[in-house]
Amino acid sequence: MANPTARSFLQVAATEEVASPLRVVQIEGLAILKIIKHCKEFSPALVTGQLLGLDVGSVLEVTNCFPFPIREEDEENEAEGANYQLDMMKCLREVNVDNNTVGWYQSTLLGSFQTVELIETFMNYQENIRRCVCIIYDPSRSTQGVLALKALKLSDSFMDLYRNNNFTGEKLREKNLSWVDIFEEIPIKVSNSALISAFMTDLEGDAPVTQCDYDRLQLSTNPFMERNMDFLIECMDDLSMEQQKFQFYYRSLSRQQAQQQAWLQKRRAENASRKAAGEEPLPEEDPSNPVFKPVPEPSRLDSFLITNQIANYCNQINGVAGQNFSKLYLMKALHEN
Amino acid sequence: MASRFWTSQGGSDSEEEESDYDEEIENGAPVDPATQAAGSRYLKENPSDSDDSGDQKRVVRSAKDKRFEEMSATVDQMKNAMKINDWVSLQESFDKMNKQLEKVMRLTESEKAPNLYIKALVMLEDFLSQALANKDAKKKMSSSNAKALNSMKQKLKKNNKQYEDLISRYREKPESEEERDEDEDEDEETDSEIEEDPTKIEFKDSEDEDDEKGGDSQDEDDGEWEKKMSKREKLMDKQFKNPSEVTWDTVNKKFKEVVAARGRRGTGRFEQVEQLAFLTKVAKTPAQKIEILFSVVSAQFDVNPGLNGHMPINVWKKCVQNMFVILDILIQYPNIVVDDMVESDENETQKGPDYNGTIQVWGNLVAFVERLDAEFFKSLQCIDPHTREYVERLRDEPLFSVLAQNVQDYLERVSDFKAAAKVALKRIELIYYKPQEVYDAMRKLAEQTGDRDNGEAGEEHKVVEESRGPSPFIVTPELVPRKPTFPENSRTLMDCLVSLIYKYGDERTKARAMLCDIYHHAILDEFSTSRDLLLMSHLQDSIQHMDISTQILFNRAMAQLGLCAFRVGLITEGHGCLSELYSGGRVKELLAQGVSQSRYHEKTPEQERIERRRQMPYHMHINLELLEAVHLICAMLLEVPNIAANTHDPKRKVISKTFRRLLEMSERQTFTGPPENVRDHIMAATRALSKGDFEKAFDVITSLDAWKLFRNRDNVLEMLKAKIKEEALRTYLFTYSSSYDALSLDQLIKMFDLSDAQIHSIVSKMMISEELYASWDQPTQCIVFHDVEHTRLQALAFQLTEKLSVLAESNERATEARIGGGGLDLPPRRRDNQDYNAVGGRWQESFSFTQGRQGGGSGRTGYGAGGGRPLALGQAAGGGYSRDRTGQSRGTGAGYPGTRYQDAAYGGGSGRSAYQSGSSVRGSQMDISNRMVSLNRGFRS
C-alpha cells in the first residue's frame, strides 16, 4: 500500500489493450473488518454496502467500503439511497480515499443469496463498471469459526443470455450452460500494508489459540442443520413449482401441436379438394390462427437459481456434517483418554 | 208436462207395436237363426197371434227392457230404411226414436242417453254425410225423398248437438262402450254377437252393397260391418267395407297414409294407434303385418309426448303384447328378416307366407326393447314408491323380462349376437341389484302370475282381438312362451348373460355388464371376486369417459363393493371404496337417489329436469343411512388410532377428511345430546373409542337402526365388535403409552376382553411398524416402553425425504412423457390431477384443498366432478388392492423388494428413483394393513 496508485496506473495502462480475465480479488483488511462489523451488527437482517477500489489487470483491489443505510420499502427512499451513495462518494474523494466503485457487498443467511434480485443488481452494476464483484458475507456461518466470505461474479455467457432474456432450453443447450455456470467464484486474497502487519504481530499475544479456534470446536450444530434443512425443504417446494410450470408448458405445447396437426390436415384435405376443383390452394400457414401462436416457454432461470441454492445448502450441510463428525470422533477419543 | 208424456208414451207404445208388425210384414224374409234375442222373438211371434205377442211381452219383460226393445226395433227399422235409401221412412223412424228416448230416459232415470241411441245417431250421421256427398244419387232421388233428406239433415244436426260429447266419445272408443253395452242390456247383444261372429263376414261372398235380397242376415251383417267401420274412421270404412275387396295394395296404401299422418297436427295419437291396430287385422301377408305392427309399436311409443311423463301403463302392456305378436310371426316365418339398415323394397311385404326367399322388413327389435325398458324405468321413477300402484307396476317386470328373453333368443337364433348382447344387458339390469331372496321372490311371483296370466292374458288377448272386429287375415299362433323362466340361482343367470355380453357386446355394453356383475358379486358377499373384476377391467381408469348413467352405475357398484368389504370385515378396503363417494357431500347425486340441493349455485330447471330423469327407481336404491353408517364406522376404526398415534402433528396424516370434519364439528359443540342420527351415533362411539372404552362404543353403534338391513346381521356385528376391540386397544396404547413404564399382558386382556394371542399379535405389529416404541419382556409377559421421540432434525429429514420423493416422481413422469412411457393414453392433465391428489394429500393440506375446489368447479357442468371423484377413488382403491394382494401373496416379511417392485409396476410401468425406494422400504416395514394405508397415501398408483 506504499504506492499503490503508481503501480496500479501502470498496470491499468498495460492491461487496457488485453482485457485479462479477473483472477483474484484482493481485499484490504480494513475493508473486510468493516464489512464484517456492518453485517454482524445487523444480523439477521440483511444489509448491503458499496465496495471501493481499483481494477488492476487480473486483480481487483478492494481498498475501502461503506455501508448503505437499511432500505425501507419505499420508492422515495430509492432516490435517497442513490443520493446517499453519491454524497458518500463525494466525501470520500475529498478525504482522498479511493472512490472508484468496484462492486458491492451483502450479508446473507446461510447462503441463501442466489436470487433473481442479486442477478439484477449485478447486471445494473455491470452496465457501469466493466469489472465488478459481489462480496457475500455470512455472519451465521462465521459463528462456526469460519470466515464465510465469498467473492462472486456472473459468468460472461450467462450475462449474454440474460441480456437477451433468453432462457429457453434450446439456447441454454447452445451455450452449453448449466446451473453451475451462472456464478463464478473468485478467490479472495487479503492484503495488509506492511505497517499494519507489523502492528498486528505486535498486538498478537503469546497464546497460540484464538477465539476463532474455540468457536470451531463448538459441538452444537443442530440449529444450523435444522435451518439448512428448512431451507432445503423450501427449495424443494419451489423446485416442484417450477417443475409443474414446466409440465404445464409441455402439456399445452403438445396440445397445441396436436391442434396444429389437425388444422394442417384439414387444410391439406381442403387444398386437395380445391386442386381437384381447379382452384388456388390455400397457404399451409396461417399466422392469424390462434393455433399457431407460440406458447411462451417458461424461463429456466428460476429453476437454475434454485438448483444453485440447493447445491449451496448441500455443500454447507456436507461441510458442517463432516466437521461435526471429526469433532465427535475427537470428543470420543478425548473421553476414552 | 208429465201428463203429456204419459199420453204420448201410450201413443207411441201402440205406434211402436204397430211398426213392429209392419216391419215384420215388410221384411217377410226368413230370419237368420244367428240373429239373437230380438230376432228370435220375432221368429216366435211370427206364427203366433199378434195380440198375444203384446201380452207376452208385458208379462216377461220389465218396463225398461221393453223400452229398449222398442228402441232397438226402431233402430233396425232405420237401418232397413237406410239400405233402400228411403229418407221418408227414415225421417219417421227418427222422430219415433226421439220420442222413445224420452221414455227410456225417464225410465232409467239416467241423464245419459243410452248407447243404443248414440250408436244410431252416429250411424245416421255417417249415412247422411255419405248420401250428401253422393251428388248423383241425390239427383236421382224422388222429390219427396230429397225433401226428406234435407229436413233430416237439419233435424239431425239440431238433435246431435245435444249429444255432441257422447257421440265423440263413442267415436273415439267404441269398444269400451260396447263392452258396457253388453252388460247394460241383452238387446245389445245383437250387435256384439254379430261382431263376434266375424268368420261369417270373412267367408261371405261378395255382394253388392245395396243388394237387399241377399237376405236379412246378410244385410244385418253388412250393416254391422259398415257401422263398425264408421265408428272407427270415416275414411277407412269405404276401403275396407268389404273384406274380400281388401287387397295388399289397399292396405298398403292406407298404411302409408296413416303413417304419413303421424306427427301432423290434428292427428290423434290414440286414434292413430287404433287405426294401425285395425290395419294389422286386415294385413294380407305376414310381412305386411309385421311392418304394420312395428308402426303400431312406434305409434304406441308416441302416445306419450313429453320426455318427463311415462307411457300409460295399459299402452305399455299392449305394446309388450304387440311385441310378442311380432316375435310370433318372426318365429313362424323364419324367412322374414328384420333389419333397420336396409331400406327395403317398396313391395317387399307383398310376398306372401309361401314365398321362399328372405323378406326384409324394416324395424329394430332391440331399439323397441330398449325403449320399453326405458318406459318401464321411467314409470317407476314417476310413480310414488309408497303406493300400491308402484308395487303393481313392479309386477310387470317379469313380463318385460320374458319379452327380453324371447327377443334375445330370437336374435341368437338369427345369430345377431351383437343385438342379443344389448338385450341381455337389459335383462341384467333387471336382476343385478337383486339379492338372492328378492330374486327368489321375483321368480315365485313370475311363476304364479305366469300360471294365472297365461290363462288370463290369453283370454284377454283374445278379447282384445275380438273386440277389434273381424279376426285378422293372418292368424298367428302363440309360439313364444309368455311365461318367464328363471334359473334357480340369480348367479347362474347373471353368469350366462354376462358371458354372452363379454363375448359379443360393444364397449359400453361390456362395461355396464361388468359393473352389474361387480355389483351382483358384491351383493353375494364375494368381495374378492368383484374386486378382481373391477381391477382387471380397469374400469376405474376409463369410467371418466363413459356416459353419465354408466358413471352412476359405477358409483353404485363402488358403494356396494364398500358395503361388501365391510360385511366381510375388510375395513380399509371398505373405507377406500366409500370415502370418495362421501368426499363431496353429494352422495345422493352420485348414486342418483335424489336431488341434492346445493347452497352455492342454483341449478337451472333444465339441469334439474335432466337430473331427475337419471334418478334410480326406489326399489333399486342403496340404503343411504346404512351406507353412511358403514362409511363412518370404517373411517372411525381407521382414524381413531391414527389420531391417537399422531397427536403432535394431527394434520399430517389424514385418512378420512370427512370424518375429521365431522369430529371437529362435534367437538366444537358445547353440549352433546343423546345421539339422534347416524352421525351422532358414530361421533358418540368415536368419543368412547378414543378413550379406549370399546363397550360403550359398540353399544352406541349397535343401537343404529340400519343394521337390520344386513342379512347376516349377527355376524357383521360380531365382526364389528372384534374390530372395535382391536382398535380400542391400539388407541389406548397410543394414547397412554407415555404414562406407562411397563404394562402387563394380563392387564390388557382384562381391559379389552381379547385373547392373549390377539393382544400379542396386535402389540407386536405395532412394535414392528414402529408405531409403538416398546419391547416385550417375555418372562414377565410385560410390554416395556421406550421413551423415543424424534428430534426436530429427524422430523425435518423425514419431511425432506418425502419432498424429494415427490420431486423425483414428477421428474420421472417428465422423462416418461419425453420418451413415451406407459401411461400416456390417459390425458395428461387428468393423470396429474390424480397424482397430486393422491400424493399431495399427505402433507400439503392446501394443495389437495385446491384440488377439491377444482373438482367442485367442474361439477357445475353436471356430473363432471361426479365422474372425477370416482376415478380418484378407483385409483386409490386400486392401489390399495394391488398392494393388499401382494401382501397376501408374499407374506409379511419375505418379499419386501418384490412388493416394492410390484408397487412400481402399478405406478405406471417405470422404476422408482432411489428416494422413492427409500421411503417404500420404510413403508414396507409396517404390517400389511398399515402398509396399505400408508402406501395408499405415499404413492400414487
Side-chain angles (χ1 to χ4, degrees), chain B residues 541-542 545 822-831 871 875 940:
Chain B
D541 300 331
S542 54
H545 311 288
L824 277 183
D825 33 349
L826 276 177
R829 170 189 289 262
R830 183 155 299 119
R831 273 174 57 91
L871 175 57
Q875 293 211 339
R940 184 205 81 87

Side-chain angles (χ1 to χ4, degrees), chain A residues 222 225-227 229-230 232-233 236-237 239-240 243-244 247-248 250-251 254-255, chain B residues 792-793 796-797 799-800 803-804 807 810-811 813-814 817-818 828-829 832 836 847:
Chain A
N222 255 353
M225 292 286 265
E226 278 166 19
R227 297 284 286 282
M229 280 293 209
D230 273 335
L232 257 184
I233 288 169
M236 287 297 163
D237 283 344
L239 202 60
S240 314
Q243 206 164 26
Q244 246 181 312
Q247 269 171 3
F248 181 73
Y250 200 81
R251 273 200 302 273
S254 61
R255 204 177 309 140
Chain B
R792 187 171 146 69
L793 188 60
L796 281 172
Q799 212 175 332
L800 184 66
K803 297 255 158 186
L804 278 171
L807 198 66
S810 59
N811 243 342
R813 255 197 328 273
R818 181 92 204 154
R829 170 189 289 262
D832 287 339
Y836 283 109
F847 203 26

